Amino acid sequence: VQLQASGGGSVQAGGSLRLSCAASGRTFSSDVMGWFRQPPGKEREFVGGIRWSAYYADSVKGRFTISRDNAENMVYLQMNSLKPEDTAVYYCAASSRSTIFSTPKNYDYWGPGTLVTVSS
């Protein structure tokens, strides 16, 4: 089972980035797919998740959008109106549970992160 996030990079405040997460090794179409991030020197935090619909952390609500393409085993994180405080390593994760949880311990599979840097 593999998850691979990509699409990170450097952007100025106010800009946009789209992260992709490719899943392989099993069928993820019924799983909760989550996005987390870990800012420098801080703990990993929940960004949002999707099963049949998406749920977001308050800090990104209205700016970030999560979508999925089950046919391609892909999950996306569209990030708009980026702020310097969005700077972090972003991770995608998969959970076989039926509810979107915001704590990392509820996710079974993780991919390596991708770095997003937002400059002011």
Side-chain angles (χ1 to χ4, degrees):
V1 175
Q2 280 193 321
L3 298 175
Q4 182 66 57
S6 61
S10 297
V11 64
Q12 289 194 327
S16 298
L17 279 176
R18 189 175 86 150
L19 305 185
S20 300
C21 176
S24 61
R26 62 186 290 266
T27 300
F28 289 88
S29 57
S30 297
D31 284 0
V32 168
M33 301 299 294
W35 285 98
F36 289 78
R37 67 186 181 186
Q38 188 161 13
K42 297 185 179 180
E43 293 188 352
R44 195 167 298 189
E45 63 184 30
F46 177 73
V47 174
I50 186 168
R51 193 178 184 215
W52 316 127
S53 58
Y55 174 81
Y56 302 94
D58 287 344
S59 59
V60 306
K61 200 174 294 182
R63 300 188 297 123
F64 290 11
T65 302
I66 298 173
S67 60
R68 66 191 301 167
D69 182 343
N70 287 334
E72 298 293 331
N73 258 4
M74 295 289 295
V75 182
Y76 304 98
L77 178 64
Q78 177 67 45
M79 305 185 294
N80 299 328
S81 302
L82 283 161
K83 305 175 181 180
E85 51 263 44
D86 295 317
T87 294
V89 176
Y90 283 72
Y91 300 87
C92 63
S95 171
S96 58
R97 294 159 179 81
S98 58
T99 302
I100 300 174
F101 290 98
S102 61
T103 50
K105 67 178 183 180
N106 288 298
Y107 289 78
D108 309 297
Y109 305 102
W110 291 84
T114 184
L115 177 63
V116 172
T117 303
V118 184
S119 57
S120 57

